[in-house]
Amino acid sequence: ITSAAAGLFSLVLVLGIFVYVPMIAEQQKLTGQSMFIKDEIQKGKSILANTKIKEVVQFTRQDQAGVIDEITKAGEFYAINFIAISPQEIQKSQDLLRLPLLLEIEAEYQNFGKFLSALDQLDQTVITVDNFLMEKQSINLPLLRIKLSLSLYLEDNDNG
């Protein structure tokens, strides 16, 4: 019994060192990254809070489709699975048009970060992340189900 207990203790110790400790380290790393992203979103929200929305305007479907197409192409490049894309009502602020966009996607954490970076590089618009919620998938690990609220800013070409 003593050697069996020692063997069991050794097995638990080895599992703890090689499995549990790296998992804890990865979780702490991801938590730090998540907090950084949330801080960046909060900074963007405070900047946008100073922008006053004046009126609601109609935007052509072609303009919306072009920007959404750019977003989906960026997502496809980083293996983002788009579950839902829901454009909201467009609003006008000074010389800009704001298109709120709700996305529901599935992605690995690293690919999600790369996708967000790619959104910053899009030509047709400036995009801010207003909010996001990540939930891990118990069935399809390491995929995350992510609900993402974006604001797309476009120039108002109707201003004289």
Side-chain angles (χ1 to χ4, degrees), residues 13-80:
L13 182 63
V14 167
L15 284 175
I17 291 172
F18 292 106
V19 176
Y20 186 70
V21 171
M23 286 174 54
I24 294 296
E26 181 68 15
Q27 185 223 4
Q28 290 174 342
K29 176 183 157 191
L30 293 176
T31 300
Q33 290 172 344
S34 176
M35 292 177 77
F36 174 77
I37 291 171
K38 286 181 181 179
D39 288 343
E40 291 298 308
I41 290 171
Q42 195 59 37
K43 288 177 189 174
K45 280 183 179 180
S46 65
I47 291 169
L48 291 175
N50 296 328
T51 304
K52 296 185 180 181
I53 305 297
K54 293 182 180 176
E55 61 183 280
V56 174
V57 296
Q58 291 299 316
F59 202 133
T60 67
R61 288 183 180 177
Q62 182 179 3
D63 293 333
Q64 286 183 20
V67 174
I68 292 171
D69 186 52
E70 272 195 82
I71 291 170
T72 56
K73 284 181 183 175
E76 288 172 2
F77 186 78
Y78 292 108
I80 304 295

Side-chain angles (χ1 to χ4, degrees), residues 6 43 46 50 54 83 91 102-103 120 125 128 143 147:
K43 288 177 189 174
S46 65
N50 296 328
K54 293 182 180 176
I83 297 166
Q91 299 170 330
L102 302 177
L103 302 176
D120 190 39
T125 185
T128 60
L143 286 181
K147 293 180 181 178

